[in-house]
Amino acid sequence: MLQLHGGGYIAGMRNAYRTFGVVYSELGGNISVLTPDYRVAPEHPFPAALEDALAAFDWLLAQGYGEEDIILAGDSAGGGLVMSLCFLLRQRKRKLPCGIVAMSPWTDLTQSGDSYVINFERDPLFGKTKDSMIYNKDYIGDADPKNPYISPLFGKFHDFPPMLIQVGSYEMLLSDAVDVANKAKKAGVKVRLAVYEGMFHVFQMGLRMMPESKKAWHEVEEFLTILRRGEA
Amino acid sequence: MESSIQGKMIRELIAHFSSDLLIGKKIKNGDLRKKLVNVEPRWRCPEGFSWTEIQMKDFTMDWAGTGGK
C-alpha cells in the first residue's frame, strides 16, 4: 500500500500516520505500507507533493511490485493526492493501482461545494472561519486551483480503480467526497461512498475509541479483502 | 441516525478546543498540526512490525510491515 498523509499540503508526516500504516497492514492481511513524507508548501508548492507521490509509487515498482498489487490510501489532502496521482499515471499512459481508499478527501481547492456553506457552522475542526487550512492557498501558488492535479473534483475519472470513500456528515469537505463519488460513478468507476452521520474530518483517527471509527476501519478491512481476492 | 455518545463527545471536545481563544486559531489554520511534526516523540514501532526509513532525493519515506507481502 502507498499511503499519502493529510495535512492540507502544508504539514508533514506525523506519528498518527505511522499508526495508520500499522492498522492498514493488519487489516490488509500483513501487507507492507509505504508512507512518504512528501514535500509541503509554502516551501514546496504544487506540483512538489505530486512529484513525490509519483516517486514513491515508482519506488514500489522498483521493489518488484506490480501496479495491480498496489493500493493507494490517503486522508484529507492525501485523499485528493491519491486521485491526482491516478490522473498523472493515466495521462502518462501507465497502469493504475488496484484500488483507492480515501478518507475525508480534499478534492476541491476552490471550495465550490454546498457543504462549505451548509456545514460552515457545525464543522468542529474547520468551521466558523475562513482562516483555516482548507482556505490556505500556499500549495496552489500561481497554478489554477481547478487544475485536476490540484482539485481532482474537476478531473475525469474514467478507468479509475475501485474506490472506497469515507466522510463525516458534519464536514465542510463533505461535498468534496460526495461530488467526486458521484462523478466517478457516472464515469463507470466502482465507488463505495460511506457518509458517517455526525462525524468530523478524518474521524478514523479515533481508531477504536468510537463506534463510527471502528466501523469505518472494518469497512476498510472488507474493501482490502475484496481487492486482495480480486473480487472488486 | 445520530452519532454515538463517544462520537458526539469527541466532536464537542474538538469544537471546544478549536474555538479556544488561545489555540483555536492555530488548530484551524494548521499551525499546530505543523508544529506537531517537530515535537512528537520518536515513533515506537509495535512488536511484530518492521519499520524502515528510506531516504529519497527530496524527501523520506516510512516502509512498514511484517515482512509478509
Side-chain angles (χ1 to χ4, degrees):
Chain A
M1 171 179 280
L2 172 59
Q3 177 191 208
L4 300 177
H5 68 76
Y9 298 107
I10 58 170
M13 171 79 155
R14 51 177 283 220
N15 284 342
Y17 295 104
R18 297 184 174 101
T19 302
F20 269 26
V22 168
V23 175
Y24 276 128
S25 178
E26 285 181 336
L27 299 183
N30 297 327
I31 57 173
S32 296
V33 180
L34 182 68
T35 311
D37 187 7
Y38 57 81
R39 289 172 292 166
V40 293
E43 294 83 3
H44 303 285
F46 171 81
L50 182 57
E51 288 172 350
D52 294 350
L54 180 64
F57 188 81
D58 285 340
W59 185 88
L60 284 172
L61 298 182
Q63 306 310 303
Y65 294 96
E67 291 87 345
E68 66 281 2
D69 302 321
I70 300 172
I71 300 162
L72 301 185
D75 70 292
S76 193
L81 192 54
V82 295
M83 297 174 198
S84 302
L85 176 58
C86 284
F87 289 141
L88 184 60
L89 291 168
R90 193 186 60 197
Q91 190 267 332
R92 295 185 178 182
K93 303 195 187 313
R94 294 179 52 177
K95 287 186 192 169
L96 300 189
C98 73
I100 290 174
V101 178
M103 297 175 172
S104 302
W106 191 23
T107 68
D108 179 8
L109 276 67
T110 73
Q111 300 89 26
S112 68
D114 293 346
S115 58
Y116 284 85
V117 178
I118 294 165
N119 282 340
F120 186 79
E121 290 295 329
R122 66 179 183 176
D123 185 323
L125 194 58
F126 298 126
K128 298 178 182 172
T129 180
K130 289 197 173 181
D131 184 22
S132 72
M133 288 170 88
I134 56 177
Y135 289 94
N136 187 301
K137 303 292 180 196
D138 287 345
Y139 178 63
I140 300 168
D142 297 329
D144 178 359
K146 283 193 170 181
N147 181 335
Y149 294 130
I150 294 174
S151 295
L153 176 62
F154 300 104
K156 292 177 179 170
F157 286 83
H158 60 89
D159 301 325
F160 259 49
M163 296 199 281
L164 170 63
I165 301 176
Q166 299 175 332
V167 67
S169 72
Y170 273 39
E171 292 193 49
M172 286 172 75
L173 299 189
L174 174 62
S175 304
D176 290 46
V178 173
D179 293 349
V180 154
N182 289 337
K183 199 168 178 184
K185 277 180 194 172
K186 279 183 188 165
V189 180
K190 290 180 181 173
V191 181
R192 159 83 178 148
L193 170 69
V195 180
Y196 285 76
E197 187 56 43
M199 284 295 101
F200 42 86
H201 194 56
V202 198
F203 63 93
Q204 296 85 346
M205 290 267 181
L207 300 173
R208 295 186 165 277
M209 278 195 294
M210 299 183 293
E212 290 88 349
S213 49
K214 277 170 76 173
K215 187 179 172 191
W217 282 109
H218 181 66
E219 192 177 36
V220 169
E221 182 177 24
E222 285 182 341
F223 183 67
L224 297 181
T225 302
I226 289 168
L227 290 179
R228 207 169 59 238
R229 290 179 182 159
E231 294 169 355
Chain B
M1 199 178 77
E2 232 324 299
S3 46
S4 68
I5 294 167
Q6 298 95 316
K8 195 176 172 193
M9 277 177 64
I10 293 173
R11 188 180 73 215
E12 287 176 0
L13 200 63
I14 293 169
H16 175 74
F17 282 112
S18 69
S19 58
D20 183 271
L21 286 173
L22 281 175
I23 60 162
K25 190 177 176 186
K26 289 181 179 176
I27 291 172
K28 292 192 180 194
N29 68 16
D31 279 354
L32 193 70
R33 167 72 178 80
K34 282 195 265 188
K35 284 199 177 102
L36 272 177
V37 175
N38 299 320
V39 299
E40 279 188 325
R42 186 168 168 76
W43 165 247
R44 288 176 63 182
C45 183
E47 207 171 308
F49 281 86
S50 62
W51 176 56
T52 312
E53 194 170 282
I54 295 158
Q55 186 64 51
M56 301 288 278
K57 180 173 159 274
D58 295 315
F59 62 101
T60 60
M61 304 192 291
D62 280 29
W63 181 230
T66 58
K69 299 163 196 174

